[in-house]
Amino acid sequence: MSENTATMGKPIFSLFNIVAGAILLMGGILTILRFTQGLDAVTNLSDYNPWGIWIGFDLLVGVALAAGGFVTSAAVYIFGMKRYHAAVRPAILTGFLGYALVVLALHYDVGRPWRLPYPFIMQRGTTSLLFEVAACVALYLTVLFVEFSPAALEWLGFKRARNIVVKLTMLLTIFGVVLSTLHQSSLGALFLIAPSKLHPLWYTPYLPIYFFVTAVIAGLSMVIFESTLSHRFFSHKMDAAHLAEKDTVPLGFGKAASFVLAGYFIIKVIGISTGNTWHYLATGYGAWYLVELLGFVALPAFLYAVGVRDKNVTLIRWTAAWTVLGIVINRFNICLVAFNWHLPADERYFPHWMEIGISVFIVTLGIVIYRFIVTRMPVLYEHPDYDAH
Amino acid sequence: MSLSRRKFLGWIGAAGMTAAGSKASAATTHHFEGYPDSMAVLHDTTLCIGCRRCEAACNAVNELPAPEVPFTDLTVLTNRRRTTSKAYTVVNQKPGKGGRPIFVKNQCNHCLEPACASVCFVQAFKKTKEGAVVYDASVCVGCRYCMVACPFEIPTYEYDNAFSPKVMKCTMCHPRVLEGKLPGCVESCPTEALVFGRRDDLLKIARQRIVRRPEKYVDHIYGEREMGGTSWLYLSGEPFDAIGMRMDLGVTPAPELTAGALGAVPMVVGLWPVLLTGIYAMSKRKEKIAAEEKAQAVAAALAEAGEQAAARLDATMEKAKQEKTAAVEKAVKEALAADAKARAVAEIQGAAQAPEGAAGDEKDE
């Protein structure tokens, strides 16, 4: 399958194209349904459950998993880890596509998507953390667009414009880290307003810090995860520098992820202590919390460390995938599972299949666009006309 | 005042100015008691008979669609009902002491510092000085964060409206109040279970009722301090959590729950670039020093190699010189020896063959 999906000039009806085409077709139909019949026709949202998986997955998970862009560019340009330089462009591209798709997904979720610029042009609700999220996401999407533009400009042959943008690299990177710090943490801070609805094990004043730290973990793990997939499906597009990074990126980023996960584990325990929520651990929700804490924080921290010590790249790659799954579970827990925990079961939310369909459609769209770009633009290789920048 | 103050704070804070610090700390110590002379409703649940006339009046006044079950049908009271986009208020029945039914009316409580208003990123909600929390659909994007934020689970959404969905909730009949009329539900209540008046007066009335009939009332006015205080006040003969009202909401006004996170924003904006530039400068400097050290090491190595090479060259030259001298000496010596030999041979061969001997000498040299 990999050979068929990876290369250009192969038959149009490859397995990848058929599956992706079917999903995009379904997404198109669901999109028409959503925008002509309203939210009620395609979602299980209710007055008790105003936020479903389009917020829990598309927004919260999407933004966290797109953190690879700011993590990698900060590591290379600010912390001076130049040997990961080849990882920057793919990470920036995934970040840009991730944020673009988050914004696209929000158009499905909000009631009147054509009003999405209203917080900026009509009335600014600056007491809202959602305003901060909106402002930072809008600005950061722009930053990512500019950060990615050299690849497109090289492809198009606009040398002068490309060189001007490259000169801005440092400024853009710092701006990107500031904006990411703000909105990644603010996504967690969104839930600070609802202590009466979010289970005490998950509700803590540290939510913004947890969200930021997990975003760093997600970013590091996603870079490993993506590079695994890219090396599998797009290795023919890579130059020597990218091929050489096949092992150095997992080893370096895995080590960092292990450290950050360990720190996150510690501040999670501090959170339970300061909230004195130990007794909840003995309940059903407590068991699920422990699955998240031990299975998706402590375990990957340990496995990453073992993988790095033994230079076991395969273990690091599986751990990266496991950690990404852990981030998904964490965001789902806060937004859906532990939210409204006080309500009777029949008032709780479970997504409609069409909500899941839209989410799958948006992810597929991202993969298709990524594939389109990396098979054309200099992302996985340096453009021959330019030096390493 | 409170909201405009927060709006002001937000902007000042976003600009990262120091004024935000003093204002923010003032906000934490100063308790907002509500607008002076603002209006409220007192709901005495001990007087409510569950007739649903308030629901009917609300429906009529707000021109909401006709309900599936007519308002005269009282069997729905025992269901667990909540506000919907088609019903701004619902009355629920709970079992009281000795099986006597208790009726509780549920609607927007019109908080003094509303969660919905503080989380709305287009300021669609506003706490009026008259007491109502009103909603402006003309700016609403439909993010539904107000519904997530509301601790009383009041705002609802028109999910079935594809093109102009609105948040729907009780307006405390704000337009009617401005006209000098009573809210629809209060006007229709046959038992004075609902009383409309100045919040300060209603609190006094409620307190008097508790004092006069301590056996009848629980010693608590729900809404006096819950979530920082609300403009809808409740009296009950049963513990409030037994009649479906949450007692674990606390007295902190909703905006304070997010004040810390909002306050951190200007700090991050101010300090992060400094920190990041510092780290960048340090890693750059490290690189520079490393490069310099490398250059020095290379230069030193080259110099050393040069010296060594020079020494070796000198030695070689010296050796070559010596070899050359030796060779010359040897050649001279050989020449002299040959000459001497030739002379000796010539002497032996005699004077007659002298020219031949001279030619032989030239050849040798």
Side-chain angles (χ1 to χ4, degrees), chain A residues 46 115 128 181 190 196-197, chain B residues 119 140 145 150 159 246 272:
Chain A
S46 67
R115 287 182 172 183
S128 173
T181 309
L190 287 180
S196 56
K197 296 184 183 174
Chain B
V119 301
C140 178
Y145 192 16
C150 178
Y159 290 106
R246 293 188 67 168
W272 242 221

Side-chain angles (χ1 to χ4, degrees), chain B residues 33-332:
Chain B
E33 299 276 358
Y35 292 107
D37 295 331
S38 80
M39 306 305 278
V41 175
L42 173 63
H43 175 34
D44 189 335
T45 61
T46 64
L47 301 175
C48 182
I49 54 168
C51 64
R52 296 189 73 201
R53 279 187 211 168
C54 52
E55 288 186 40
C58 178
N59 178 278
V61 164
N62 292 295
E63 293 166 0
L64 296 171
E68 284 168 28
V69 181
F71 289 112
T72 47
D73 183 347
L74 302 184
T75 57
V76 296
L77 290 167
T78 48
N79 299 343
R80 181 193 155 95
R81 293 192 300 155
R82 62 154 290 157
T83 54
T84 69
S85 59
K86 294 170 181 65
Y88 292 167
T89 186
V90 289
V91 177
N92 279 323
Q93 180 184 331
K94 302 281 171 183
K97 279 191 287 273
R100 203 171 57 88
I102 310 287
F103 301 101
V104 189
K105 183 177 175 299
N106 175 246
Q107 74 298 304
C108 175
N109 285 325
H110 300 274
C111 303
L112 300 184
E113 298 184 67
C116 54
S118 90
V119 301
C120 181
F121 69 167
V122 286
Q123 295 184 334
F125 291 93
K126 189 169 159 252
K127 175 75 175 176
T128 63
K129 63 182 194 307
E130 292 81 17
V133 175
V134 294
Y135 162 77
D136 176 6
S138 74
V139 292
C140 178
V141 181
C143 72
R144 308 185 297 279
Y145 192 16
C146 48
M147 298 164 68
V148 168
C150 178
F152 302 108
E153 298 168 326
I154 293 303
T156 66
Y157 202 64
E158 293 182 318
Y159 290 106
D160 51 355
N161 184 340
F163 301 107
S164 56
K166 297 182 291 293
V167 170
M168 304 292 274
K169 78 165 195 71
C170 160
T171 63
M172 212 171 154
C173 286
H174 188 58
R176 284 171 59 91
V177 169
L178 289 180
E179 289 170 19
K181 293 185 201 159
L182 286 173
C185 55
V186 175
E187 194 178 65
S188 69
C189 183
T191 64
E192 289 191 11
L194 298 173
V195 182
F196 182 76
R198 288 176 62 237
R199 187 170 185 269
D200 294 343
D201 296 341
L202 293 180
L203 279 171
K204 278 178 206 150
I205 292 170
R207 241 174 247 127
Q208 280 169 359
R209 287 189 192 174
I210 293 172
V211 170
R212 279 187 200 151
R213 303 283 302 278
E215 78 291 349
K216 185 181 175 190
Y217 291 104
V218 168
D219 187 11
H220 185 80
I221 305 168
Y222 196 96
E224 182 182 11
R225 298 179 67 217
E226 271 72 19
M227 294 307 293
T230 63
S231 293
W232 211 278
L233 304 166
Y234 300 80
L235 284 174
S236 172
E238 306 282 335
F240 281 99
D241 39 11
I243 58 167
M245 302 181 72
R246 293 188 67 168
M247 289 297 286
D248 58 349
L249 298 179
V251 298
T252 309
E256 276 177 31
L257 294 167
T258 52
L262 281 172
V265 172
M267 294 298 107
V268 171
V269 173
L271 286 178
W272 242 221
V274 178
L275 181 74
L276 296 170
T277 316
I279 294 172
Y280 171 69
M282 278 191 277
S283 74
K284 253 276 158 349
R285 186 162 176 276
K286 240 188 222 162
E287 263 172 40
K288 202 181 151 197
I289 290 174
E292 278 173 10
E293 282 175 350
K294 198 174 156 192
Q296 274 174 6
V298 168
L302 279 176
E304 202 184 334
E307 272 168 34
Q308 281 175 357
R312 217 174 298 135
L313 190 66
D314 285 351
T316 316
M317 292 288 277
E318 188 64 27
K319 203 176 161 196
K321 214 171 168 184
Q322 283 170 0
E323 274 170 11
K324 198 179 172 189
T325 319
V328 169
E329 278 172 7
K330 196 183 166 198
V332 170

Side-chain angles (χ1 to χ4, degrees), chain A residues 8-290:
Chain A
M8 296 292 299
K10 294 271 170 166
I12 281 179
F13 293 103
S14 67
L15 184 57
F16 175 87
N17 286 357
I18 291 170
V19 173
I23 293 173
L24 295 185
L25 182 69
M26 171 203 71
I29 295 166
L30 294 182
T31 302
I32 293 168
L33 261 180
R34 153 68 187 91
F35 289 108
T36 55
Q37 306 299 307
L39 285 164
D40 218 18
V42 293
T43 74
N44 278 345
L45 297 174
S46 67
D47 291 330
Y48 275 123
N49 304 289
W51 286 356
I53 60 162
W54 290 348
I55 296 295
F57 181 77
D58 298 28
L59 174 65
L60 298 184
V61 173
V63 168
L65 297 191
F70 97 87
V71 171
T72 313
S73 56
V76 171
Y77 296 125
I78 295 177
F79 292 85
M81 302 180 189
K82 297 217 167 113
R83 68 197 141 129
Y84 305 124
H85 187 265
V88 172
R89 270 200 187 171
I92 295 277
L93 173 61
T94 343
F96 172 63
L97 289 179
Y99 277 88
L101 295 172
V102 163
V103 174
L104 175 67
L106 286 179
H107 284 76
Y108 288 81
D109 184 75
V110 303
R112 304 197 204 191
W114 52 92
R115 287 182 172 183
L116 274 170
Y118 273 25
F120 312 118
I121 59 171
M122 295 297 280
Q123 298 188 84
R124 283 163 293 271
T126 49
T127 58
S128 173
L129 281 154
L130 199 58
F131 180 82
E132 197 201 324
V133 170
C136 288
V137 168
L139 283 171
Y140 188 49
L141 184 60
T142 316
V143 168
L144 280 168
F145 176 75
V146 179
E147 279 189 302
F148 179 69
S149 65
L153 294 171
E154 284 169 17
W155 180 53
L156 296 167
F158 296 154
K159 276 195 180 182
R160 276 186 59 193
R162 179 263 178 205
N163 290 339
I164 292 169
V165 177
V166 167
K167 284 205 180 77
L168 296 173
T169 300
M170 258 320 285
L171 189 71
L172 290 170
T173 305
I174 290 183
F175 203 34
V177 175
V178 171
L179 291 171
S180 296
T181 309
L182 290 177
H183 72 259
Q184 294 284 3
S185 58
S186 294
L187 285 174
L190 287 180
F191 295 91
L192 289 179
I193 199 75
S196 56
K197 296 184 183 174
L198 184 58
H199 191 281
L201 278 172
W202 281 273
Y203 185 91
T204 144
Y206 300 132
L207 267 176
I209 295 167
Y210 289 174
F211 265 60
F212 175 66
V213 175
T214 45
V216 173
I217 296 166
L220 292 166
S221 301
M222 271 307 276
V223 170
I224 300 173
F225 185 62
E226 283 159 31
S227 94
T228 307
L229 297 180
S230 288
H231 278 280
R232 192 180 151 89
F233 296 115
F234 298 114
S235 58
H236 60 289
K237 278 278 157 193
M238 294 184 176
D239 62 10
H242 280 85
L243 289 171
E245 281 193 340
K246 194 175 179 184
D247 288 352
T248 53
V249 164
L251 287 172
F253 279 52
K255 189 192 262 183
S258 175
F259 270 103
V260 183
L261 274 164
Y264 178 58
F265 180 82
I266 291 169
I267 60 172
K268 285 286 267 191
V269 175
I270 290 174
I272 304 174
S273 304
T274 53
N276 199 15
T277 46
W278 296 104
H279 60 285
Y280 286 106
L281 290 178
T283 64
Y285 276 99
W288 181 233
Y289 185 86
L290 287 174

